[in-house]
Amino acid sequence: MNDINAKKIRGELVELYITPAVFNGMMEKILEIERMKQPEKDVANAIRGEFVNDKMRLQFTVPIKPEKAAPGGPQKLFLNMGVDFDIEIADGEIRKLEVSDVKLGERAAPLLAGFIINFFVDAALKKNQEELRAGRSNLSAIKLLKRENDRLHVIIDGKLMREAEEEEK
């Protein structure tokens, strides 16, 4: 991650071929940083990635707020969710985003969950297209994000990534 930050500071392109193991290590570090920056916020406890057949799978463990717990029941609850999908981003444009399976715990999610997820996928695709038409996408720094065999191929424009972070501040 130090090499990525150095290239971002210099405004260079960052090209990575990421295995699921490397992705998982990077996510662990990012979650750790987010928990330190915002301890009051419910940050995912874990995010894990893997490849399943021709899809990518992300599995999340997210804490559920104590006020959502049933009275007299356990006060520390977690939601375990898995999503199988296919994604491709090129030059800040989401070219493909298809969700093929959603699981809660080890079971298939209720049909309604699929509708909700597809609603958000459609909204993300529309928002991305609107941003591109306006001349600036939140994903502009991503020159490529695509699965290639057993790796995720990612190219990030360090200059655009740095500018986006500066705009957030």
Side-chain angles (χ1 to χ4, degrees):
M1 299 231 347
N2 290 336
D3 184 46
I4 295 169
N5 286 328
K7 287 184 176 188
K8 178 178 69 174
I9 290 167
R10 293 190 305 262
E12 298 174 359
L13 284 181
V14 178
E15 184 168 18
L16 306 164
Y17 289 90
I18 303 171
T19 64
V22 170
F23 173 84
N24 293 336
M26 291 172 72
M27 290 309 303
E28 194 62 38
K29 190 70 174 163
I30 290 168
L31 291 174
E32 182 181 310
I33 291 167
E34 286 302 310
R35 282 193 282 279
M36 287 189 308
K37 284 190 332 192
Q38 302 176 20
E40 73 287 349
K41 195 172 180 185
D42 285 334
V43 175
N45 283 30
I47 298 176
R48 295 279 180 253
E50 64 181 319
F51 295 132
V52 178
N53 299 320
D54 62 338
K55 304 290 182 207
M56 289 184 269
R57 175 176 291 160
L58 284 181
Q59 295 177 312
F60 308 86
T61 299
V62 181
I64 297 174
K65 295 182 182 201
E67 57 268 18
K68 302 274 185 189
Q75 296 301 300
K76 196 130 179 138
L77 298 174
F78 298 90
L79 172 66
N80 295 307
M81 181 177 182
V83 180
D84 291 2
F85 63 100
D86 198 5
I87 187 169
E88 183 176 330
I89 300 173
D91 295 320
E93 179 183 2
I94 301 172
R95 302 241 170 113
K96 180 191 236 181
L97 180 54
E98 299 168 354
V99 175
S100 58
D101 191 28
V102 180
K103 292 197 182 323
L104 294 174
E106 294 296 318
R107 297 183 175 169
L111 188 59
L112 182 59
F115 289 127
I116 293 169
I117 286 174
N118 283 324
F119 171 81
F120 285 107
V121 165
D122 289 342
L125 291 169
K126 286 177 186 169
K127 181 179 181 203
N128 179 249
Q129 288 301 313
E130 289 168 6
E131 289 174 345
L132 288 168
R133 280 193 294 277
R136 181 76 191 242
S137 165
N138 285 336
L139 303 175
S140 292
I142 301 174
K143 296 298 167 195
L144 181 69
L145 185 143
K146 170 182 178 172
R147 179 177 175 183
E148 292 181 3
N149 301 316
D150 64 341
R151 299 180 190 276
L152 195 57
H153 186 186
V154 182
I155 301 174
I156 300 170
D157 185 322
K159 180 181 177 197
L160 292 176
M161 188 166 78
R162 186 183 70 233
E163 288 172 0
E165 288 177 358
E166 288 170 357
E167 284 178 18
E168 282 183 16
K169 293 177 184 178

